[in-house]
Amino acid sequence: MDTAHKSFIQRQKKLNKKHRRLASGYVNRLNENGVIEHRPSRDYLRLTLAPFVILVAFFFAFKALLLTHLGDADYLAHLAALETGNLTEQVGARLMSLDPVTQFLADIAAQLV
């Protein structure tokens, strides 16, 4: 009787997990046996877009704080040194170059500090 109860609890947990996944949306599909199955729909854009936006925001904030800390002249000198390096350093120099967003955030950071 104990094994039957464990099996029941296991099936119940699986079913609850499936219901939780289906609650956020599902797609009906016809499997190879001709039975209609409900599969959870996956929202890949929402799942992958948020971390990417946060990463880009932190990158611009890092550039702005670095620009504020070093100052314009030193920051540009470091960029010039990177531009003369190997390919990786040149790509880094291109990514770390000044842009309007970085300049705007650096101006705000300079006012706060």
Side-chain angles (χ1 to χ4, degrees):
M1 193 67 179
D2 188 43
T3 58
H5 183 67
K6 285 182 182 178
S7 174
F8 172 76
I9 296 296
Q10 217 172 22
R11 288 192 319 266
Q12 188 179 25
K13 285 181 182 179
K14 253 175 117 172
L15 189 60
N16 286 337
K17 181 180 176 182
K18 183 177 179 182
H19 281 231
R20 277 193 306 272
R21 288 189 329 207
L22 291 174
S24 63
Y26 61 91
V27 176
N28 295 326
R29 299 209 176 155
L30 195 65
N31 71 5
E32 63 274 357
N33 296 330
V35 177
I36 297 173
E37 293 180 337
H38 305 294
R39 300 269 177 158
S41 63
R42 297 182 179 160
D43 193 5
Y44 292 110
L45 183 63
R46 181 181 54 168
L47 192 62
T48 58
L49 189 60
F52 180 71
V53 169
I54 291 170
L55 182 68
V56 169
F58 275 117
F59 179 70
F60 278 113
F62 172 73
K63 282 175 49 174
L65 289 176
L66 198 60
L67 179 62
T68 303
H69 178 71
L70 292 176
D72 290 337
D74 285 341
Y75 188 82
L76 292 174
H78 283 285
L79 285 180
L82 282 176
E83 287 174 351
T84 61
N86 61 21
L87 181 64
T88 306
E89 291 172 343
Q90 290 174 3
V91 170
R94 176 71 81 173
L95 288 174
M96 295 300 288
S97 65
L98 287 179
D99 53 66
V101 175
T102 304
Q103 192 66 46
F104 176 74
L105 291 174
D107 292 340
I108 290 175
Q111 290 174 359
L112 294 176
V113 176

